[in-house]
Short mmCIF file of all heavy atoms in Angstrom, two decimals:
data_model
loop_
_atom_site.label_atom_id
_atom_site.label_comp_id
_atom_site.label_asym_id
_atom_site.label_seq_id
_atom_site.Cartn_x
_atom_site.Cartn_y
_atom_site.Cartn_z
N GLN A 8 1.59 18.20 -18.09
CA GLN A 8 1.51 18.00 -16.62
C GLN A 8 2.14 16.68 -16.22
O GLN A 8 2.91 16.62 -15.26
CB GLN A 8 0.06 18.02 -16.17
CG GLN A 8 -0.47 19.43 -15.96
CD GLN A 8 -1.94 19.42 -15.65
OE1 GLN A 8 -2.63 18.42 -15.84
NE2 GLN A 8 -2.43 20.54 -15.15
N ALA A 12 5.33 16.19 -13.90
CA ALA A 12 5.24 15.37 -12.69
C ALA A 12 6.32 14.31 -12.70
O ALA A 12 6.99 14.05 -11.70
CB ALA A 12 3.87 14.72 -12.61
N ALA A 16 9.20 13.93 -10.02
CA ALA A 16 9.30 12.67 -9.28
C ALA A 16 10.72 12.11 -9.39
O ALA A 16 11.30 11.61 -8.43
CB ALA A 16 8.29 11.66 -9.82
N ARG A 38 15.48 -16.85 -0.63
CA ARG A 38 14.49 -17.26 -1.63
C ARG A 38 13.09 -17.13 -1.04
O ARG A 38 12.13 -16.87 -1.74
CB ARG A 38 14.68 -18.75 -2.01
CG ARG A 38 15.94 -19.07 -2.77
CD ARG A 38 15.89 -20.51 -3.26
NE ARG A 38 14.80 -20.71 -4.21
CZ ARG A 38 14.92 -20.50 -5.52
NH1 ARG A 38 16.06 -20.11 -6.04
NH2 ARG A 38 13.88 -20.69 -6.31
N TYR A 56 -3.99 -6.69 11.37
CA TYR A 56 -4.46 -7.54 10.28
C TYR A 56 -4.86 -6.76 9.03
O TYR A 56 -4.79 -7.29 7.93
CB TYR A 56 -5.55 -8.48 10.79
CG TYR A 56 -4.96 -9.39 11.82
CD1 TYR A 56 -5.23 -9.25 13.17
CD2 TYR A 56 -4.04 -10.35 11.43
CE1 TYR A 56 -4.63 -10.07 14.12
CE2 TYR A 56 -3.42 -11.17 12.36
CZ TYR A 56 -3.73 -11.03 13.70
OH TYR A 56 -3.11 -11.83 14.62
N SER A 60 -2.76 -8.21 5.54
CA SER A 60 -3.37 -8.73 4.32
C SER A 60 -2.86 -8.04 3.06
O SER A 60 -3.12 -8.48 1.96
CB SER A 60 -4.89 -8.62 4.40
OG SER A 60 -5.25 -7.28 4.68
N ARG A 64 1.54 -9.45 -1.45
CA ARG A 64 1.60 -9.23 -2.88
C ARG A 64 2.87 -8.50 -3.39
O ARG A 64 3.54 -9.02 -4.27
CB ARG A 64 0.33 -8.48 -3.32
CG ARG A 64 0.23 -8.33 -4.80
CD ARG A 64 -1.13 -7.84 -5.17
NE ARG A 64 -1.16 -7.56 -6.60
CZ ARG A 64 -2.28 -7.55 -7.32
NH1 ARG A 64 -3.42 -7.76 -6.77
NH2 ARG A 64 -2.22 -7.29 -8.61
N GLU A 68 5.55 -10.36 -5.74
CA GLU A 68 5.75 -9.80 -7.10
C GLU A 68 7.19 -9.34 -7.29
O GLU A 68 7.64 -9.15 -8.41
CB GLU A 68 4.76 -8.66 -7.37
CG GLU A 68 3.32 -9.12 -7.55
CD GLU A 68 3.08 -9.92 -8.84
OE1 GLU A 68 3.93 -9.86 -9.75
OE2 GLU A 68 2.05 -10.61 -8.92
N TYR A 72 9.32 -16.25 -2.57
CA TYR A 72 8.27 -17.09 -2.01
C TYR A 72 7.85 -16.46 -0.69
O TYR A 72 8.69 -16.30 0.20
CB TYR A 72 8.71 -18.53 -1.79
CG TYR A 72 7.59 -19.34 -1.19
CD1 TYR A 72 6.53 -19.74 -1.97
CD2 TYR A 72 7.55 -19.62 0.17
CE1 TYR A 72 5.44 -20.41 -1.43
CE2 TYR A 72 6.47 -20.30 0.73
CZ TYR A 72 5.43 -20.68 -0.07
OH TYR A 72 4.35 -21.34 0.47
N ALA A 77 -1.88 -15.93 6.77
CA ALA A 77 -2.91 -16.35 7.73
C ALA A 77 -2.62 -17.75 8.25
O ALA A 77 -2.86 -18.05 9.43
CB ALA A 77 -4.29 -16.30 7.06
N ASP A 80 0.25 -17.47 10.73
CA ASP A 80 -0.28 -16.86 11.95
C ASP A 80 -0.97 -17.91 12.82
O ASP A 80 -0.70 -18.05 14.01
CB ASP A 80 -1.24 -15.73 11.56
CG ASP A 80 -1.87 -15.04 12.76
OD1 ASP A 80 -1.14 -14.79 13.74
OD2 ASP A 80 -3.07 -14.74 12.72
N GLN A 81 -1.85 -18.67 12.17
CA GLN A 81 -2.61 -19.70 12.88
C GLN A 81 -1.68 -20.79 13.43
O GLN A 81 -1.81 -21.22 14.58
CB GLN A 81 -3.66 -20.30 11.94
CG GLN A 81 -4.70 -21.14 12.62
CD GLN A 81 -5.44 -20.35 13.71
OE1 GLN A 81 -5.69 -19.15 13.56
NE2 GLN A 81 -5.76 -21.01 14.82
N PHE A 82 -0.75 -21.18 12.60
CA PHE A 82 0.20 -22.24 12.98
C PHE A 82 1.02 -21.81 14.21
O PHE A 82 1.17 -22.58 15.16
CB PHE A 82 1.12 -22.56 11.81
CG PHE A 82 2.15 -23.61 12.10
CD1 PHE A 82 1.84 -24.95 12.00
CD2 PHE A 82 3.43 -23.25 12.49
CE1 PHE A 82 2.78 -25.94 12.29
CE2 PHE A 82 4.38 -24.23 12.78
CZ PHE A 82 4.05 -25.57 12.69
N GLU A 104 13.73 -23.05 11.16
CA GLU A 104 13.66 -24.52 11.11
C GLU A 104 12.23 -25.01 10.92
O GLU A 104 11.96 -25.89 10.10
CB GLU A 104 14.20 -25.12 12.43
CG GLU A 104 15.71 -25.24 12.46
CD GLU A 104 16.20 -25.56 13.86
OE1 GLU A 104 15.40 -26.11 14.67
OE2 GLU A 104 17.35 -25.23 14.16
N VAL A 105 11.33 -24.45 11.70
CA VAL A 105 9.95 -24.94 11.69
C VAL A 105 9.27 -24.68 10.34
O VAL A 105 8.52 -25.51 9.83
CB VAL A 105 9.14 -24.29 12.84
CG1 VAL A 105 7.67 -24.54 12.69
CG2 VAL A 105 9.63 -24.85 14.17
N LEU A 106 9.53 -23.49 9.78
CA LEU A 106 8.86 -23.13 8.52
C LEU A 106 9.73 -23.37 7.30
O LEU A 106 9.25 -23.41 6.17
CB LEU A 106 8.43 -21.66 8.55
CG LEU A 106 7.48 -21.24 9.67
CD1 LEU A 106 7.25 -19.75 9.63
CD2 LEU A 106 6.16 -22.00 9.57
N ASP A 183 -12.59 0.71 6.22
CA ASP A 183 -11.22 0.75 6.70
C ASP A 183 -10.27 1.24 5.60
O ASP A 183 -9.53 0.46 5.01
CB ASP A 183 -10.81 -0.61 7.20
CG ASP A 183 -9.49 -0.54 7.97
OD1 ASP A 183 -8.90 0.53 8.05
OD2 ASP A 183 -9.07 -1.59 8.45
N HIS A 186 -6.64 0.28 5.29
CA HIS A 186 -6.29 -0.98 4.65
C HIS A 186 -5.84 -0.74 3.21
O HIS A 186 -4.83 -1.29 2.76
CB HIS A 186 -7.52 -1.89 4.72
CG HIS A 186 -7.43 -3.10 3.86
ND1 HIS A 186 -6.50 -4.10 4.08
CD2 HIS A 186 -8.13 -3.47 2.79
CE1 HIS A 186 -6.67 -5.03 3.18
NE2 HIS A 186 -7.64 -4.68 2.38
N ARG A 190 -1.81 -0.78 1.31
CA ARG A 190 -1.43 -1.41 0.03
C ARG A 190 -0.39 -0.56 -0.70
O ARG A 190 0.66 -1.04 -1.11
CB ARG A 190 -2.70 -1.55 -0.82
CG ARG A 190 -2.65 -2.55 -1.90
CD ARG A 190 -3.96 -2.50 -2.68
NE ARG A 190 -5.12 -2.82 -1.86
CZ ARG A 190 -5.52 -4.06 -1.63
NH1 ARG A 190 -4.89 -5.07 -2.16
NH2 ARG A 190 -6.59 -4.30 -0.88
N TYR A 209 12.16 -15.51 -8.31
CA TYR A 209 11.07 -15.71 -9.28
C TYR A 209 10.88 -14.51 -10.20
O TYR A 209 10.02 -14.53 -11.07
CB TYR A 209 9.76 -16.03 -8.56
CG TYR A 209 9.73 -17.42 -8.00
CD1 TYR A 209 9.90 -17.65 -6.63
CD2 TYR A 209 9.57 -18.52 -8.83
CE1 TYR A 209 9.90 -18.94 -6.11
CE2 TYR A 209 9.57 -19.81 -8.33
CZ TYR A 209 9.74 -20.01 -6.97
OH TYR A 209 9.73 -21.29 -6.46
N SER B 2 -5.67 17.41 -12.32
CA SER B 2 -4.21 17.46 -12.45
C SER B 2 -3.56 16.63 -11.34
O SER B 2 -2.56 15.98 -11.53
CB SER B 2 -3.72 18.90 -12.38
OG SER B 2 -3.93 19.41 -11.10
N TRP B 6 -0.77 13.65 -11.75
CA TRP B 6 0.50 13.64 -11.01
C TRP B 6 0.69 12.31 -10.29
O TRP B 6 1.75 11.70 -10.30
CB TRP B 6 0.51 14.75 -9.95
CG TRP B 6 0.82 16.08 -10.56
CD1 TRP B 6 -0.01 16.80 -11.36
CD2 TRP B 6 2.01 16.84 -10.43
NE1 TRP B 6 0.62 17.96 -11.74
CE2 TRP B 6 1.85 18.01 -11.18
CE3 TRP B 6 3.20 16.63 -9.75
CZ2 TRP B 6 2.84 18.97 -11.28
CZ3 TRP B 6 4.17 17.58 -9.83
CH2 TRP B 6 4.01 18.75 -10.59
N LEU B 10 3.55 9.50 -10.91
CA LEU B 10 4.42 9.05 -9.82
C LEU B 10 4.31 7.54 -9.66
O LEU B 10 5.30 6.83 -9.57
CB LEU B 10 4.01 9.76 -8.52
CG LEU B 10 4.95 9.56 -7.35
CD1 LEU B 10 6.28 10.24 -7.64
CD2 LEU B 10 4.35 10.17 -6.09
N LEU B 13 6.04 5.64 -12.36
CA LEU B 13 7.48 5.59 -12.15
C LEU B 13 7.84 4.49 -11.16
O LEU B 13 8.78 3.75 -11.35
CB LEU B 13 7.96 6.93 -11.58
CG LEU B 13 8.36 7.94 -12.61
CD1 LEU B 13 8.53 9.31 -11.96
CD2 LEU B 13 9.66 7.52 -13.26
N THR B 21 2.11 -8.54 -13.96
CA THR B 21 2.36 -9.17 -12.68
C THR B 21 2.82 -10.61 -12.88
O THR B 21 2.51 -11.22 -13.90
CB THR B 21 1.09 -9.18 -11.81
OG1 THR B 21 0.07 -9.88 -12.51
CG2 THR B 21 0.62 -7.75 -11.52
N LEU B 22 3.55 -11.12 -11.93
CA LEU B 22 4.04 -12.49 -12.03
C LEU B 22 2.91 -13.48 -11.80
O LEU B 22 2.91 -14.58 -12.32
CB LEU B 22 5.12 -12.75 -10.98
CG LEU B 22 6.43 -11.94 -11.07
CD1 LEU B 22 7.36 -12.36 -9.92
CD2 LEU B 22 7.11 -12.16 -12.40
N TYR B 23 1.95 -13.06 -10.97
CA TYR B 23 0.93 -14.01 -10.50
C TYR B 23 -0.48 -13.46 -10.64
O TYR B 23 -0.69 -12.26 -10.74
CB TYR B 23 1.16 -14.34 -9.03
CG TYR B 23 2.54 -14.82 -8.73
CD1 TYR B 23 3.44 -14.00 -8.06
CD2 TYR B 23 2.97 -16.09 -9.14
CE1 TYR B 23 4.73 -14.44 -7.77
CE2 TYR B 23 4.26 -16.52 -8.87
CZ TYR B 23 5.13 -15.71 -8.18
OH TYR B 23 6.40 -16.14 -7.92
N TRP B 25 -3.88 -12.90 -8.54
CA TRP B 25 -4.14 -12.71 -7.11
C TRP B 25 -5.60 -12.89 -6.72
O TRP B 25 -5.88 -13.10 -5.53
CB TRP B 25 -3.63 -11.32 -6.68
CG TRP B 25 -2.15 -11.30 -6.66
CD1 TRP B 25 -1.31 -11.01 -7.70
CD2 TRP B 25 -1.28 -11.68 -5.57
NE1 TRP B 25 0.01 -11.17 -7.34
CE2 TRP B 25 0.04 -11.57 -6.03
CE3 TRP B 25 -1.52 -12.09 -4.25
CZ2 TRP B 25 1.13 -11.87 -5.21
CZ3 TRP B 25 -0.43 -12.36 -3.45
CH2 TRP B 25 0.88 -12.25 -3.92
N GLU B 29 -6.25 -11.43 -1.10
CA GLU B 29 -5.97 -10.40 -0.10
C GLU B 29 -7.25 -9.94 0.60
O GLU B 29 -7.30 -9.79 1.81
CB GLU B 29 -5.35 -9.16 -0.79
CG GLU B 29 -3.94 -9.40 -1.28
CD GLU B 29 -3.35 -8.12 -1.86
OE1 GLU B 29 -3.89 -7.67 -2.89
OE2 GLU B 29 -2.37 -7.60 -1.30
N TYR B 33 -8.19 -10.33 4.51
CA TYR B 33 -8.57 -9.13 5.26
C TYR B 33 -9.91 -9.31 5.96
O TYR B 33 -10.03 -9.10 7.17
CB TYR B 33 -8.61 -7.93 4.31
CG TYR B 33 -9.07 -6.66 4.98
CD1 TYR B 33 -8.37 -6.13 6.05
CD2 TYR B 33 -10.22 -6.00 4.57
CE1 TYR B 33 -8.77 -4.97 6.68
CE2 TYR B 33 -10.64 -4.83 5.19
CZ TYR B 33 -9.91 -4.33 6.24
OH TYR B 33 -10.33 -3.19 6.88
N TYR B 36 -10.15 -11.59 8.99
CA TYR B 36 -9.64 -11.03 10.24
C TYR B 36 -10.51 -9.86 10.72
O TYR B 36 -10.80 -9.74 11.90
CB TYR B 36 -8.21 -10.52 10.06
CG TYR B 36 -7.17 -11.59 10.13
CD1 TYR B 36 -6.37 -11.86 9.03
CD2 TYR B 36 -6.96 -12.31 11.30
CE1 TYR B 36 -5.38 -12.85 9.10
CE2 TYR B 36 -5.99 -13.29 11.36
CZ TYR B 36 -5.19 -13.54 10.26
OH TYR B 36 -4.23 -14.50 10.33
N PRO B 67 2.29 -17.31 -4.63
CA PRO B 67 2.79 -18.12 -3.54
C PRO B 67 1.79 -18.11 -2.37
O PRO B 67 1.23 -17.07 -2.05
CB PRO B 67 4.08 -17.41 -3.10
CG PRO B 67 4.49 -16.58 -4.26
CD PRO B 67 3.23 -16.23 -4.99
N ALA B 71 -1.66 -23.31 -0.27
CA ALA B 71 -1.54 -23.57 1.17
C ALA B 71 -2.73 -22.96 1.91
O ALA B 71 -3.32 -23.60 2.79
CB ALA B 71 -0.24 -22.99 1.71
N TYR B 75 -5.70 -24.91 3.87
CA TYR B 75 -6.03 -24.59 5.27
C TYR B 75 -7.55 -24.39 5.44
O TYR B 75 -8.13 -24.83 6.42
CB TYR B 75 -5.23 -23.34 5.65
CG TYR B 75 -5.61 -22.74 6.97
CD1 TYR B 75 -5.40 -23.42 8.16
CD2 TYR B 75 -6.17 -21.46 7.01
CE1 TYR B 75 -5.75 -22.85 9.36
CE2 TYR B 75 -6.50 -20.88 8.22
CZ TYR B 75 -6.30 -21.59 9.39
OH TYR B 75 -6.65 -21.02 10.58
N GLU B 93 0.95 -26.86 -3.34
CA GLU B 93 1.79 -25.72 -2.94
C GLU B 93 3.27 -26.11 -3.00
O GLU B 93 4.12 -25.36 -3.51
CB GLU B 93 1.43 -25.27 -1.52
CG GLU B 93 2.28 -24.11 -0.97
CD GLU B 93 1.83 -22.75 -1.46
OE1 GLU B 93 0.70 -22.66 -1.99
OE2 GLU B 93 2.61 -21.79 -1.33
N PHE B 97 5.88 -24.42 -5.42
CA PHE B 97 6.92 -23.62 -4.78
C PHE B 97 7.69 -24.50 -3.77
O PHE B 97 7.30 -24.62 -2.62
CB PHE B 97 6.32 -22.42 -4.06
CG PHE B 97 5.62 -21.45 -4.96
CD1 PHE B 97 4.24 -21.45 -5.09
CD2 PHE B 97 6.35 -20.53 -5.71
CE1 PHE B 97 3.60 -20.56 -5.93
CE2 PHE B 97 5.72 -19.65 -6.55
CZ PHE B 97 4.34 -19.64 -6.67
N GLU B 99 10.10 -23.97 -2.04
CA GLU B 99 10.50 -23.25 -0.83
C GLU B 99 9.55 -23.56 0.34
O GLU B 99 9.89 -23.34 1.49
CB GLU B 99 10.49 -21.72 -1.07
CG GLU B 99 11.55 -21.22 -2.02
CD GLU B 99 11.12 -21.37 -3.48
OE1 GLU B 99 10.00 -21.85 -3.74
OE2 GLU B 99 11.93 -21.02 -4.35
N SER B 100 8.37 -24.03 0.00
CA SER B 100 7.36 -24.29 1.05
C SER B 100 7.48 -25.70 1.62
O SER B 100 6.71 -26.07 2.51
CB SER B 100 5.96 -24.09 0.47
OG SER B 100 5.67 -25.10 -0.46
N VAL B 102 9.34 -27.56 3.69
CA VAL B 102 9.44 -27.85 5.14
C VAL B 102 8.09 -27.60 5.82
O VAL B 102 7.59 -28.44 6.57
CB VAL B 102 10.54 -27.00 5.79
CG1 VAL B 102 10.51 -27.15 7.31
CG2 VAL B 102 11.90 -27.38 5.23
N PHE B 103 7.50 -26.46 5.53
CA PHE B 103 6.24 -26.08 6.17
C PHE B 103 5.11 -26.98 5.74
O PHE B 103 4.32 -27.47 6.55
CB PHE B 103 5.94 -24.61 5.84
CG PHE B 103 4.77 -24.03 6.61
CD1 PHE B 103 4.52 -24.39 7.93
CD2 PHE B 103 3.94 -23.09 6.01
CE1 PHE B 103 3.45 -23.85 8.64
CE2 PHE B 103 2.87 -22.55 6.72
CZ PHE B 103 2.62 -22.93 8.03
N ARG B 106 5.25 -30.37 7.24
CA ARG B 106 4.83 -30.29 8.64
C ARG B 106 3.31 -30.32 8.74
O ARG B 106 2.73 -31.07 9.53
CB ARG B 106 5.39 -29.01 9.26
CG ARG B 106 5.51 -29.03 10.75
CD ARG B 106 6.29 -27.82 11.23
NE ARG B 106 7.71 -27.89 10.93
CZ ARG B 106 8.59 -28.56 11.69
NH1 ARG B 106 8.20 -29.20 12.76
NH2 ARG B 106 9.86 -28.59 11.35
#
Side-chain angles (χ1 to χ4, degrees):
Chain A
Q8 277 174 345
R38 292 189 64 87
Y56 296 107
S60 54
R64 186 170 174 157
E68 289 291 343
Y72 178 75
D80 179 41
Q81 193 57 37
F82 179 84
E104 277 168 24
V105 167
L106 302 176
D183 191 357
H186 167 65
R190 201 183 298 276
Y209 287 104
Chain B
S2 67
W6 281 71
L10 189 67
L13 270 168
T21 58
L22 297 180
Y23 306 107
W25 289 88
E29 290 184 295
Y33 177 60
Y36 280 117
Y75 170 65
E93 178 81 15
F97 297 100
E99 292 82 1
S100 69
V102 172
F103 189 36
R106 203 170 287 278

